[in-house]
Amino acid sequence: MTQVANLPTVPNAMAGPITDKMLEQVICAGTTAQKHSELSDADAALLIITIPQIATELLHRRRAMGVIADMTQLDNVTFITSARDNG
């Protein structure tokens, strides 16, 4: 029996960089989806193509912040208040 070689695959297409304006549109579309039963095709497409990348970035940032928190010992840090904070 001949063994089939693993063929190279083409990765799935992904949206480009997600800008602040695009994030604002995602917030709007997501809020609309939560409040109303209908969602436009454009809003649905926007959510579908951006949510995985947004969630990935959020997860990576959370993990990075966890590493930073683990590496720093904030109990050894004294925060100096400014004159403005003292009223």
Side-chain angles (χ1 to χ4, degrees):
M1 195 179 239
T2 323
Q3 193 172 22
V4 179
N6 288 334
L7 298 175
T9 60
V10 176
N12 292 336
M14 294 181 62
I18 298 173
T19 63
D20 287 350
K21 182 178 180 183
M22 199 179 245
L23 285 175
E24 290 170 359
Q25 292 172 330
V26 169
I27 291 168
C28 235
T31 302
T32 299
Q34 290 176 350
K35 291 184 178 180
H36 307 288
S37 60
E38 289 189 25
L39 188 63
S40 73
D41 289 346
D43 284 347
L46 178 67
L47 291 173
I48 289 169
I49 66 171
T50 58
I51 291 300
Q53 290 83 359
I54 292 169
T56 300
E57 180 179 337
L58 176 60
L59 184 59
H60 288 159
R61 289 183 181 273
R62 284 184 175 177
R63 287 178 178 163
M65 291 305 295
V67 169
I68 291 168
D70 288 345
M71 293 175 66
T72 59
Q73 296 179 3
L74 292 180
D75 53 340
N76 292 338
V77 177
T78 302
F79 293 97
I80 302 173
T81 58
S82 69
R84 186 175 42 178
D85 294 336
N86 291 331

